[in-house]
């Protein structure tokens, strides 16, 4: 069954990372997510709400207004909107019949604010991607945010094929053995998993730093692994690490390895731009804030290299829209992830939300 | 009768403020008005002319040229155009058969240069909006110019509903009593008039300054008024003021009030931008240049706040072109002003200029 | 016969200046020429190659990569492309069946890198415009490059009608006698030639400098000439000079004149922008590097004035696409040059390359 409307290239009924708590001050906060201009704010009870960033009175952005008693007040003529999207009050006006604006389901958990851009009736907190490390004191986390001018799926391709590290990140985490080691890609329990094992290699600079952070020698051969896990709508968790050579690699005891999870939440903004929430969760030196900073700086530099490449790739692809690209074995992770996305979109379009829900 | 061409959203046969005399130096001056790129210059006799900014020879902008003996000389190959738009001379060429460019009727009066973008045959100096205060030594005037990236009609809406002062200008002229006082809107003698009377209120900062300027106490309750008058094509004159409480308000004797006219000439540039000539004419302390400066600075700050809101409102509306806005009682001034504009445009399209005039 | 595809406004089968050798370092170099994004690099043997700037794997720009053993290696995942456009290698991949990208014929001669954007089968080094002065030690050359946001044909018009010097370059090379002297235009041996002779005139500042550089007095009347020669695809060579008055002008003995060739290679980038390689070849003071610098600075200033005028002219023309321009006698050089260009384009379209060549 063919959709009768313009399908956007992302699933709508899913939890996306919208922002981090530190981005939300006492002022309303504007961000476009999945093509929807949204405004986020904390109400009187501290809960975050997300509304369409459009005052139903004269179309001013509500994000230019202010929060008063849990309502978002338009900064133009004072119309106040409640967290359901219905007008709450306006000086000298009866607002009962004012049209409501859209309200988007929001969750705050795991150190992130999550938003559901699609049908509110279907929003289910149980569908939130579990992040056990985020609620464990055995783990430390640090991260950042980039705005990247490319289709969010190019970022998924990028992360699901780490061959590029050899070239894009030659001076930090790249090494020749990466593009020489074969990858294996499989789909399992709703995840696309691409693994690469590199035994008896020299640790590149980033990992030497991590080994030192974990109290291990940084000048020995290591067994290195990369296990990239894609899940809907656009999350990529990458288990990465090195173990001292011959101790079991990925399966080695925690005392002889430095490992972590590269955390990637990739939130579409428009068809050709996205918000990239990147970070690293680690199980070593969890109380050492200096290492958190050091890793954050390292990642910022590395993902900055990706940003430059991806934005140029996007411009090249826009220039040549009819050009077909190759799909090699190293691309299988991205290809299967895109397939999973396409199926999710198709399913949303086949079974549209019932009318009363759509009006919500 | 349906117009057979793309109607622009402004009347063409009307006097618009094009610029102020201080903008016109000895060099030609380029400004797009009502979608027409124009070049303004003073001829030998000091009179201002306005021509299409397009050399009929190779299409260079005439505004890059210079003035010589009352003609505008193209800075590319020296074609000289007279104030009628006809080619006057060109080195080594006979110019008799050169196509003329458009010349726009111009008036200089009341401290402004006015231009008539439409049919020159219909341009009638008698239709110029009378500004008696501009020619009286009982009044002082100061003003400025902003370029604003929004439809000029959003500015008319803004000025015909001063409810926004409570929100947009909270720190200067806004006060709670504004949005609590009812407005009355009427159409009278070609004007849309929206009035609001606020009795026994505290004077906000701007008016306390004005009271001091008028030699009156600034710490007493006042009766405050706002009478917004829209007239075609896009002028808004706002009588504003405060009188010491209980003295008659708007009708009070001049000795117990501070009043002035907020002067707004709103000249369309494109469908989504305009030139905003703002200012204030006042009857108090007319010889005090320091007060003129102070008021100008105050207005610049206030209208800068409007600018920020209006440009964001425009962007939001462009994002949602099919969205219908509310029309509340407070919006009646803007709604009726737009209706007057629409009727003027429709009338221009029903009764096109006779052919010989169109060729002028 | 009407072309069945969108014809670009330039001949494709011709040698265009792509860059100068100093622009080519050890990194690949990106430049769009005739609408084609190209990447230039020197192989192991020092020869310059030009490829389509598009990796056949995932569409990244090859110009972000690096050169290795004569191949261009993509900086994303390491696909290496040879100078023929065929994939040479990729880690862990068999590349035999990878689609080739386009390779553009390149020549390096006369101090320039030349590229042939059209059918490689037709690329003939013999068609390169001969520049004997570039290989003679009797001549000196200095030049520069501007990116100009206008149709390359507006630059040809500009150079084939030097009347504009009186106006655009009033303070350097312009003088009243230019636009008073008649021009003669003829087509001869594949060139459009526009000449203007000005006898007994004062030398303008630029030429007084040149006279001093040639060891001649700079305060006497001179006979001045300008002979503009257009040839396909878009080269304009202008013989310019002054001779002491009454010595034969253009034909005078070298000892009493200062003359040179203004060299203009005008390479289309897009329909509304081009690369302008400008310079001057001179026969006087050929070993004086200070004079080369001084002339280069003078030309940079003069062509900067042209740039400003041409970009504004282009904007004006885009604003008025249906407007017809005048064709005067002074415009004959440009008009005939454009006609020669149109015929070359038409001929390319009538006789398309045979299929096997097009596939190259």
């Amino acid at each position: 069954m063919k959709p009768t409307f313009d399908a956007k290239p992302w699933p709508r009924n899913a939890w996306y990372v919208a922002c981090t708590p530190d981005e939300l001050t006492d002022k309303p906060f504007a961000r476009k997510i999945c093509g929807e201009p949204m405004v986020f704010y904390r109400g009187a009870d501290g809960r975050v709400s997300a509304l369409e960033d459009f005052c139903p009175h004269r179309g001013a952005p509500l994000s230019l207004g202010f929060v008063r008693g849990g309502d978002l007040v338009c900064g133009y003529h004072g119309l106040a909107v409640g967290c359901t999207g219905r007008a709450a009050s306006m000086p000298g006006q009866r607002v009962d019949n004012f049209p409501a604006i859209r309200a988007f389901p929001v969750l705050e958990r795991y150190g992130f604010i999550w938003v559901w851009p699609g049908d509110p009736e279907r929003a289910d907190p149980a569908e939130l991607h579990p992040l056990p490390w985020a609620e464990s004191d055995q783990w430390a986390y640090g991260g950042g945010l980039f705005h990247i001018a490319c289709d969010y799926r190019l970022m998924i391709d990028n992360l699901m094929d780490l061959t590029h590290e050899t070239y894009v990140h030659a001076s930090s985490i790249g090494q020749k053995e990466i593009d020489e080691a074969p990858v294996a890609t499989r789909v399992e329990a709703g995840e696309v998993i691409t693994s690469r094992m590199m035994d008896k290699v020299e640790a590149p600079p980033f990992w030497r730093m991590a080994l030192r952070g974990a109290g291990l020698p940084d000048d020995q051969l290591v067994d290195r692994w990369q296990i990239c896990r894609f899940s809907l709508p656009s999350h990529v968790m990458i288990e990465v690490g090195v173990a001292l050579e011959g101790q079991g690699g990925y399966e080695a005891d925690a005392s002889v390895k430095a490992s972590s999870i590269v955390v990637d939440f990739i939130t579409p903004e428009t068809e050709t731009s996205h918000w990239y929430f990147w970070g690293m969760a680690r199980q070593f030196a969890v109380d050492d804030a200096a290492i958190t900073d050091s890793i954050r700086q390292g990642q910022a530099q590395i993902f900055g290299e990706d940003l430059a490449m991806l934005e140029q790739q996007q411009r090249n692809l826009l220039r040549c829209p009819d050009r077909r690209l190759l799909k090699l074995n190293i691309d299988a992770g991205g290809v299967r992830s895109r397939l999973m996305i396409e199926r999710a979109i198709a399913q949303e379009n086949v079974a549209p939300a019932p009318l009363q829900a759509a009006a919500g």
Side-chain angles (χ1 to χ4, degrees), chain A:
Chain A
M1 178 180 161
K2 231 176 163 189
T4 55
F5 51 89
D6 276 346
K8 295 288 180 185
W10 46 70
R12 296 168 66 248
N13 292 319
W15 294 109
Y16 287 92
V17 172
C19 57
T20 48
D22 60 293
E23 293 186 282
L24 271 188
T25 65
D26 57 343
K27 291 197 194 316
F29 175 77
R31 179 159 286 163
K32 183 185 277 192
I33 289 176
C34 292
E36 308 283 355
M38 300 182 184
V39 52
F40 296 84
Y41 68 100
R42 281 193 196 278
D45 56 357
R47 286 173 61 113
V48 181
S49 295
L51 298 172
E52 195 180 359
D53 195 9
F54 190 96
C55 178
H57 174 216
R58 305 298 302 164
L62 289 168
S63 53
L64 296 181
F66 56 93
V67 183
R68 186 185 59 206
D71 293 332
L72 184 53
V73 183
C74 180
Y76 200 178
H77 301 95
L79 189 153
V81 184
C83 65
T84 62
R86 298 208 62 83
S89 66
M90 186 172 178
Q93 307 292 334
R94 293 188 52 184
V95 301
D96 303 352
N97 293 321
F98 281 22
I101 55 172
R102 294 180 62 194
F104 301 94
V106 171
L107 290 177
E108 181 166 5
R109 194 161 174 198
Y110 302 133
F112 296 98
I113 317 290
W114 308 75
V115 73
W116 181 278
D119 177 1
E121 296 288 315
R122 299 191 177 187
D124 181 359
E127 287 190 27
L128 191 61
H129 191 285
L131 301 177
W133 49 260
E135 298 184 325
S136 158
D137 56 10
Q138 304 297 307
W139 291 74
Y141 180 80
L145 167 62
F146 284 172
H147 179 263
I148 304 191
C150 78
D151 187 328
Y152 78 107
R153 294 170 298 185
L154 294 181
M155 178 56 90
I156 295 173
D157 293 344
N158 175 280
L159 292 163
M160 292 300 288
D161 171 18
L162 298 182
T163 308
H164 76 271
E165 292 188 0
T166 309
Y167 300 92
V168 179
H169 313 307
S171 64
S172 54
I173 53 174
Q175 64 182 154
K176 197 71 204 105
E177 290 87 351
I178 293 178
D179 68 18
E180 288 168 352
V183 290
T185 299
R186 65 188 196 277
V187 177
E188 194 179 289
E191 284 188 337
V192 179
I193 304 170
T194 296
S195 332
R196 173 181 274 129
M197 302 294 171
M198 294 150 282
D199 290 345
K200 279 197 180 181
V201 300
E202 285 188 33
F206 185 85
W207 284 114
R208 287 205 298 276
M209 184 271 286
L211 286 165
R212 289 192 300 272
L216 292 168
D218 68 349
D219 55 354
Q220 303 185 10
L221 290 185
V222 294
D223 297 333
R224 181 177 176 187
W225 63 89
Q226 298 170 328
I227 302 171
C228 310
R229 299 175 184 274
F230 167 86
S231 58
L232 286 173
S234 54
H235 311 328
V236 180
M237 303 291 127
I238 310 180
E239 293 183 76
V240 290
V242 294
L244 297 184
E245 191 253 316
Q247 305 283 331
Y250 176 65
E251 309 288 349
D253 187 80
S255 64
V256 294
K257 67 184 179 189
S259 72
S260 55
I261 302 173
V262 178
V263 175
D264 307 285
F265 297 115
I266 306 162
T267 301
E269 181 193 45
T270 68
E271 279 83 349
T272 54
S273 62
H274 68 271
W275 304 101
Y276 178 36
F277 297 88
W278 50 264
M280 182 173 275
R282 70 181 192 277
Q283 258 183 307
F284 59 84
V286 296
D287 296 323
D288 191 334
I291 285 194
T292 303
D293 281 347
S294 174
I295 290 176
R296 183 188 281 113
Q297 285 171 26
Q299 283 193 302
Q301 191 203 316
I302 286 167
F303 294 138
E305 292 165 351
D306 287 306
L307 181 155
M309 176 60 80
L310 290 172
E311 294 193 341
Q312 295 269 13
Q313 181 192 16
Q314 176 70 73
R315 289 174 57 188
N316 239 15
L317 294 175
L318 288 175
R319 220 150 40 186
C320 309
D322 300 326
R323 202 79 171 247
R324 296 186 59 186
L325 302 179
L326 291 178
K327 293 179 182 176
L328 307 178
N329 56 342
I330 57 170
D331 302 315
V335 169
R336 294 207 180 173
S337 300
R338 283 170 177 255
L339 195 60
M340 199 177 272
I341 289 171
E342 277 160 32
R343 284 181 182 154
I345 296 170
Q347 199 159 347
E348 287 186 352
N349 293 340
V350 167
L355 274 182
Q356 71 274 26

